[in-house]
Amino acid sequence: MTDPVPSPGQAPQDFLRHLFAVAVAAADPMRAVPAALPPKPDGRVVVIGAGKASARMAEAVESAWGPCEGLVITRYGYARPTQGIEIVEAAHPVPDAAGVAATDRMLALLDGLGEDDFVLALMSGGGSALLIRPAGDITLAEKQKVNADLLASGAPIGQMNRLRKHLSRVKGGQLAAAAYPARMLALMISDVPGDDPAAIASGPTVGDASTPSEARAILDRWQIVPPASVAAVLAGDTGVLRPEDPRLARVENRVIAAPSQSLEAAAEIARAAGCRVELLGDALEGEARDLAAEHAALARTRQAAMAPGAAPLVLLSGGECTVTRRGDGVGGPNAEYALALAAALKGAPGIHAIACDTDGVDGAAEVAGAVIGPGTLARARAAGRDAAAALAINDAHGFFAALGDQVVPGPTLTNVNDFRAILVQPAD
């Protein structure tokens, strides 16, 4: 029997946690992958993949096709039982030697394939860090430093991925080129605003029209001083394939799960519970605390227009926020959004919210995000915590841990980026 949906009026935070669970379930690869698979081709079939959802995707493939040859790289703790496909775990968000070794083995697996062979590529968010083979003379330590600097800079994910492509031997269509002339189908779970296949996992099976000079400009824009090896790679031509490259002619790229689908699944549940729903967009970007301030103002405006006894309103949004690191606290964009939202709402009655990453990991902690409500700031003061002080040092996870308001689902085995829901009830 299906558990009843918590009441938005009587248990608002349980209701919001339920909406998050519904959004995650809508992106489960066990649902999305089998529906997208063709009949298993005759001849040699090789399955490859990278990302936080890739092991679950591989599990789904073998549930439909049976045992397959292949290798998939996922985040530590995200492995799944498979029959033939090997699952390798590596580090995310900063790559490690295990990712490099696994990538080299994947390239070796693709080497020598012919026109009659078929490659199924399973790509999801997180693949940028997991599928790692630096270009030129760039060392792993240097690539790790650039990645860490990018993550701390507040740079949008699209710009991070554009730079990563030009520093790699596998991104920007280069993985597909390694499999050529084999036929390839790439199934993708999107974690990027706009669901551009070229941005998912930095597009290892998709060409890119950007140039090394544009990649250099990203370093300049975010004031990142590159090692000499990185500067040398960006000074010449990189291996990134143009979209019209003939080696991409036998590749089909298909997005099979996206943030919009998860938001709509949550919206359906909210409507069934008697709520009105306003979708703010599935591709919102920007500094987490700035977006929170905008959403707090919007929630207050919507509440002020409500008549007494009006149906609750749920404001839903997705995308990927960033955090510019200012202190040494433990945080992530979703928890920082929730903290900044609570601070901006100042205990406004009748407004509750949740902000979580659908992969179950927010920033530097094994925590998806947090929930807030009208009593958040008062409870924090009673616990000796100050919201403004926590924001100043990016310690949102520490703040919510002290209150017991973290959302900790563990590995969700999928990744369609951030999920945010604000429940607005009449002020009375």
Side-chain angles (χ1 to χ4, degrees), residues 388-418:
L391 270 176
I393 61 169
N394 306 114
D395 193 30
H397 282 310
F399 179 91
F400 288 114
L403 300 183
D405 287 343
Q406 293 178 311
V407 179
V408 190
T412 64
L413 309 176
T414 192
N415 184 13
V416 287
N417 233 321
D418 298 342

Side-chain angles (χ1 to χ4, degrees), residues 207-277:
D208 192 288
S210 66
T211 65
S213 63
E214 290 173 334
R216 291 196 301 271
I218 293 169
L219 291 173
D220 294 340
R221 164 67 180 83
W222 297 100
Q223 300 180 341
I224 296 172
V225 179
S229 60
V230 170
V233 166
L234 296 180
D237 291 330
T238 62
V240 172
L241 276 64
R242 303 283 297 181
E244 63 274 12
D245 192 292
R247 290 170 290 177
L248 299 175
R250 305 201 74 201
V251 179
E252 178 187 356
N253 294 292
R254 189 186 306 168
V255 176
I256 61 171
S260 60
Q261 296 166 343
S262 287
L263 289 179
E264 185 52 44
E268 288 181 10
I269 296 298
R271 294 186 187 107
C275 299
R276 294 178 297 119
V277 175

